[in-house]
């Protein structure tokens, strides 16, 4: 009854007051995926060039699923999320940056500002303070200018660039000893471009440490765009795509990345290295 009332209100309200995104997200959380898809489909008919709506319609309908979230989608999403990002994730018991730092602690010598580090998809810079002690030079990149504004306020990055992370890595060959990415690659389905670019940007012996969400159901796919708009990946796919790129998977560990609707979100914490 609540869903029917909300949908009726959506139709009756003036267009500028329609909370379509809130309704659709609530429907996804309630498991009413077809209802959510109907909202996004009607919305896209009004705004056919809206990358946010297009992405979430694909996530809910399974039609025209992209291999990764578009730059326009990522920029739109996080420019609007930047001012509340840290507070929101604190409520969700967000752990990805700390997990990345813990992985470095397990695999690196004691921190002495001895490595050149890239934080790709750095967002508001939550990883920055956790890895700074190892950094001779700490670089960050993100597509969202608003997120980068938040990262600058931490005053821990030597360089911050507004850039798509694969292109950023390609533009800096043999430049980094460590590349980290916390909770960003969940906006990529196909990870081949990312892993190959990371291999290009790393120096011999360098490490790539990142998190992705875990796909565990046994239907054989390598990754899937979930109804929430993020991608989840299978363990075997991560092993394969890293090896294909010339990166050695040192450790792929199951971890809880955060909570969503009071339930744990399971993911993979990945440490891979480039050989000599």
């Amino acid at each position: 009854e609540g869903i029917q009332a909300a949908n009726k209100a959506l139709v009756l309200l003036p267009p500028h007051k329609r909370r379509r995104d809130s309704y659709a997200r609530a429907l996804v959380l309630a498991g009413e995926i077809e209802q959510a898809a109907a909202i996004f489909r009607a919305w896209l008919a009004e705004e056919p060039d809206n990358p946010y709506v297009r992405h979430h319609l694909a996530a809910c309908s399974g039609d025209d699923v992209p291999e990764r979230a578009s730059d326009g989608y990522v920029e739109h999403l996080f420019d609007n999320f930047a001012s509340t990002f840290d507070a929101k994730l604190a409520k969700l018991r967000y752990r990805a940056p700390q997990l990345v730092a813990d992985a470095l602690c397990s695999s690196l010598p004691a921190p002495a500002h001895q490595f050149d580090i890239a934080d790709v998809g750095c967002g508001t810079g939550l990883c920055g303070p956790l890895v700074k002690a190892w950094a001779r030079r700490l670089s960050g990149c993100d597509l969202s200018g608003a997120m980068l504004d938040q990262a600058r306020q931490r005053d821990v990055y030597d360089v911050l660039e507004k850039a798509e992370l694969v292109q950023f890595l390609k533009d800096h060959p043999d430049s980094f000893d460590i590349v980290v990415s916390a909770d960003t690659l969940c906006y990529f389905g196909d990870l081949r471009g990312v892993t190959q670019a990371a291999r290009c940007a790393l120096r011999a012996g360098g490490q790539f440490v990142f998190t992705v969400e875990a796909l565990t159901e046994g239907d054989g796919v390598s990754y899937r765009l979930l109804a929430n708009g993020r991608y989840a990946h299978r363990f075997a796919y991560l092993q394969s795509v890293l090896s294909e790129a010339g990166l050695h998977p040192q450790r792929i560990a199951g971890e809880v990345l955060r909570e969503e609707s009071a339930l744990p979100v399971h993911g993979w914490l990945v440490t891979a290295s480039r050989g000599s």
Side-chain angles (χ1 to χ4, degrees):
E1 291 178 356
I3 291 169
Q4 291 174 355
N7 285 335
K8 185 175 182 180
L10 185 63
V11 172
L12 294 175
L13 283 169
H16 67 285
K17 291 186 177 181
R18 292 178 184 174
R19 306 296 187 201
R20 290 183 287 200
D21 186 38
S22 298
Y23 285 145
R25 285 188 285 111
L27 289 167
V28 168
L29 291 173
E32 298 288 343
I33 307 303
E34 291 185 7
Q35 297 257 24
I39 289 178
F40 285 121
R41 194 172 286 111
W43 190 354
L44 190 65
E46 296 177 21
E47 301 178 25
D49 296 325
N50 188 318
Y52 179 86
V53 181
R54 186 175 299 279
H55 182 81
H56 280 280
L57 176 57
C60 290
S61 69
D63 298 330
D64 299 319
V65 174
E67 291 186 344
R68 54 155 291 184
S70 70
D71 291 358
Y73 169 78
V74 172
E75 190 167 6
H76 172 94
L77 176 66
F78 288 102
D79 276 353
N80 286 286
F81 194 15
S83 62
T84 59
F85 184 83
D86 290 3
K88 174 70 172 176
L89 290 185
K91 293 179 181 179
L92 299 178
R93 302 179 187 272
Y94 179 57
R95 302 176 63 230
Q98 187 61 57
L99 290 170
V100 166
D102 291 346
L104 292 180
C105 195
S106 297
S107 62
L108 296 178
H113 299 289
Q114 68 269 56
F115 299 117
D116 293 327
I117 302 177
D119 180 5
V120 294
C122 65
T124 62
L126 290 172
C127 273
L130 301 176
V131 305
K132 179 66 173 177
W134 281 285
R136 176 171 52 231
R137 182 177 174 85
L138 179 57
S139 303
C141 75
D142 204 276
L143 272 169
S144 168
M147 297 287 270
L148 289 171
D149 288 342
Q150 298 291 324
R152 285 189 188 93
Q153 295 179 27
R154 298 187 188 277
D155 198 27
V156 295
Y157 292 88
D158 298 292
V159 176
L160 285 168
E161 290 189 27
K162 186 177 186 300
E164 191 276 322
L165 68 88
V166 172
Q167 191 61 52
F168 174 85
L169 292 170
K170 288 181 177 178
D171 289 344
H172 295 81
D174 299 305
S175 297
F176 303 110
D177 304 297
I178 299 164
V179 174
V180 300
S181 187
D183 209 30
T184 297
L185 301 187
C186 56
Y187 295 100
F188 289 75
D190 187 345
L191 293 176
R192 289 175 295 180
V194 176
T195 53
Q196 290 165 8
R199 167 65 171 75
C200 170
L202 283 169
R203 296 173 181 142
Q207 293 193 2
F208 183 25
V209 181
F210 62 92
T211 64
V212 289
E213 295 189 17
L215 182 62
T216 55
E217 61 263 38
D219 57 8
V221 298
S222 297
Y223 57 84
R224 171 174 286 120
L225 178 59
L226 305 178
N228 59 22
R230 295 186 296 273
Y231 294 84
H233 297 83
R234 192 175 301 284
F235 180 94
Y237 174 71
L238 296 175
Q239 289 181 309
S240 173
V241 77
L242 288 166
S243 297
E244 182 182 326
L247 295 168
H248 174 65
Q250 293 181 300
R251 186 168 184 263
I252 303 176
E255 298 282 357
V256 174
L257 304 180
R258 66 179 182 283
E259 294 180 356
E260 193 167 282
S261 301
L263 296 173
V265 174
H266 295 278
W268 306 115
L269 173 62
V270 181
T271 301
S273 63
R274 174 186 167 176
S276 58

